[in-house]
């Protein structure tokens, strides 16, 4: 599916209370959790030493399809994707899932920056497995693993927002099980990708619940807590996206077109989290794309910098008034 680029200012969302959720209990997830905790214990430093600012901006990047010959602005080549991940690793970004981002469970080493990698539409170029069950060459999951092997601090985790009949070439059950077993998050993109803004309240709720049920059928036991809006279109009323009979989403994700504020900031709105389309510096609408935004964040003035301790929230004292009340006890201004 193709999505029109919708600036954040054109969208509105209801402010929702973020709630905690338990990470997956898969073997890979447990190993990653243990490694993350160990890294945090070793890497914690004085906030001023690393210029910590956990009220800074976080890029939530949006991908759709990897193809050799892009046919539109939502297509990227495998080489483009590989180069973008290399840039993120080089600039000290560490991927976290949407689930962990929206609930403030950000556990990365001191001096590093979180990035959320999200994939819409459950295309076969994102998740493909060969006859031996290994990631297919040049698929998104293969390139993620390849990058993490070269850069050990770059966690190979992402959030895949899927529709019904996800990853048809591999099969939903097989593909979603692989994602769960390897620490990725499975998020909801509705059942058949309708424009939720064009449906009545009951119809929007059915589409969201249908997407969740399709995930739970293919991968029993999956807890779905994140939703990406098809076409970036908000249902009416907006809070239908976050909760309804049979579903609850702690984070609702838009189409574009700028970084998100920190989940610890007063003005964080989990019901309308902006994303940035992956794009080269000369692509159409490049000013809203990833290359340009990463350039802006690299000036070091506004990006999220971790203090290395997941239990504290460090930032320059001048930003004290920007902390959300729910996180005040964890605040460590300096």
């Amino acid at each position: 599916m193709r999505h029109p680029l919708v600036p954040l200012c054109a969208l509105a969302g209801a402010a929702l209370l973020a709630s905690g959720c338990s990470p997956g209990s898969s073997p890979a997830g447990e190993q990653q959790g243990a490694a993350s905790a160990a890294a945090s214990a070793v890497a914690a430093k004085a906030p001023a030493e690393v210029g910590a600012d956990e009220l800074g901006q976080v890029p939530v990047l949006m991908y759709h399809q990897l193809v050799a010959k892009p046919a539109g602005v939502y297509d990227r080549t495998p080489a483009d994707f590989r180069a973008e991940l290399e840039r993120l690793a080089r600039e000290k970004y560490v991927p976290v899932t949407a689930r962990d981002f929206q609930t403030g469970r950000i556990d990365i080493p001191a001096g590093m920056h979180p990035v959320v990698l999200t994939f819409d539409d459950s295309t076969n170029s994102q998740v493909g497995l060969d006859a031996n069950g290994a990631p297919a060459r040049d698929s998104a999951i293969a390139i993620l693993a390849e990058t993490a092997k070269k850069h050990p601090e770059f966690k190979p985790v992402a959030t895949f927002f899927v529709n019904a009949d996800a990853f048809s070439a591999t099969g939903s059950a097989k593909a979603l099980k692989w994602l769960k077993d390897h620490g990725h998050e499975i998020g909801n993109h509705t059942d058949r990708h309708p424009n939720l803004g064009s449906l009545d309240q009951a119809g929007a709720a059915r589409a969201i619940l249908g997407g969740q049920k399709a995930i739970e059928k293919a991968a029993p036991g999956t807890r779905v807590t994140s939703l990406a809006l098809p076409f970036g279109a908000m249902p009416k009323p907006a809070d239908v996206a976050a909760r309804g009979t049979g579903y609850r989403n702690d984070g609702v994700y838009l189409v574009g077109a700028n970084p998100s504020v920190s989940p610890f900031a007063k003005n964080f709105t989990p019901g309308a989290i902006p994303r940035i389309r992956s794009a080269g510096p000369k692509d159409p609408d490049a000013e809203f794309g990833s290359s340009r935004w990463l350039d802006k964040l690299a000036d070091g003035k506004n990006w999220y910098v971790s203090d290395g301790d997941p239990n504290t929230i460090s930032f320059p004292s001048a930003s004290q008034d920007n902390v959300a009340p729910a996180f005040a006890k964890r605040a460590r201004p300096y």
Side-chain angles (χ1 to χ4, degrees):
M1 291 285 185
R2 295 294 183 267
H3 308 257
L5 186 63
V6 181
L8 178 59
C9 61
L11 297 164
L16 309 173
L17 292 176
S19 64
C21 57
S22 300
S25 57
S26 66
E30 291 171 357
Q31 292 171 4
Q32 290 171 348
S36 178
S40 294
V42 172
K45 298 179 180 180
E49 184 180 348
V50 295
D53 186 359
E54 294 178 315
L55 295 179
Q57 294 180 313
V58 177
V60 181
L61 303 184
M62 178 179 66
Y63 303 92
H64 287 75
Q65 187 163 240
L66 304 182
V67 293
K69 295 182 179 180
V73 296
Y74 289 94
D75 293 344
R76 301 226 73 191
T77 69
D80 291 334
F81 182 56
R82 185 175 283 106
E84 186 150 270
L85 294 191
E86 285 287 340
R87 175 180 182 173
L88 291 170
R90 187 171 63 250
E91 295 182 1
K92 298 185 177 181
Y93 282 97
V94 178
V96 299
T97 62
R99 175 183 57 218
D100 286 348
F101 169 67
Q102 68 211 17
T103 54
R105 298 169 65 90
I106 300 176
D107 186 1
I108 63 175
M112 306 291 273
H113 321 288
V115 61
V116 186
L117 307 176
T118 68
F119 296 83
D120 288 10
D121 298 352
S122 45
T123 64
N124 291 321
S125 63
Q126 298 168 9
V127 178
L129 302 176
D130 64 21
N132 297 316
R137 177 180 173 83
D138 282 343
S139 64
I141 55 173
I143 295 171
L144 269 168
E146 169 191 313
T147 306
K149 185 175 182 180
K150 293 173 63 178
H151 305 277
E153 288 185 323
F154 192 87
K155 298 178 185 177
V157 298
T159 296
F160 291 83
F161 290 114
V162 305
N163 305 112
D165 302 321
F167 311 116
S168 58
T170 297
S172 292
K174 184 177 180 180
L176 298 192
K177 181 180 187 303
W178 189 96
L179 290 174
K180 286 182 66 176
D181 288 348
H182 289 81
H184 297 285
E185 177 187 6
I186 301 168
N188 190 355
H189 201 38
T190 73
D191 53 359
R192 301 295 175 186
H193 205 283
N195 181 323
L196 297 180
S198 69
L199 303 177
D200 62 17
Q201 180 173 345
R206 281 195 300 271
I208 295 168
L209 181 60
Q212 177 165 312
K213 286 184 174 180
I215 293 169
E216 293 170 346
K217 180 180 179 180
T222 300
R223 186 180 180 192
V224 182
T225 61
S226 307
L227 171 73
L229 299 169
F231 308 106
M234 192 71 72
K236 301 178 185 68
D239 59 8
V240 172
R243 55 178 58 89
T245 302
Y247 66 87
R248 174 169 178 163
N249 295 303
D250 295 328
V252 177
Y253 291 79
L254 307 174
V255 166
N258 49 274
S260 173
V261 299
S262 166
F264 308 125
K266 274 184 181 178
N267 58 339
F268 179 66
T269 305
I273 301 171
R275 294 188 289 169
I276 302 168
R277 174 174 60 85
S278 179
K282 297 182 180 180
D283 287 353
D285 297 315
E287 64 269 30
F288 301 115
S290 57
S291 293
R292 297 280 186 89
W293 273 115
L294 291 175
D295 287 346
K296 294 174 185 177
L297 289 170
D299 68 13
K301 295 178 182 178
N302 297 305
W303 63 5
Y304 183 117
V305 183
S306 174
D307 69 358
D309 185 346
N311 299 310
T312 61
I313 301 166
S314 298
F315 50 86
S317 57
S319 299
Q320 176 73 60
D321 291 342
N322 296 332
V323 182
F327 296 104
K329 291 184 178 179
R330 291 168 55 187
R332 297 293 184 271
Y334 64 92

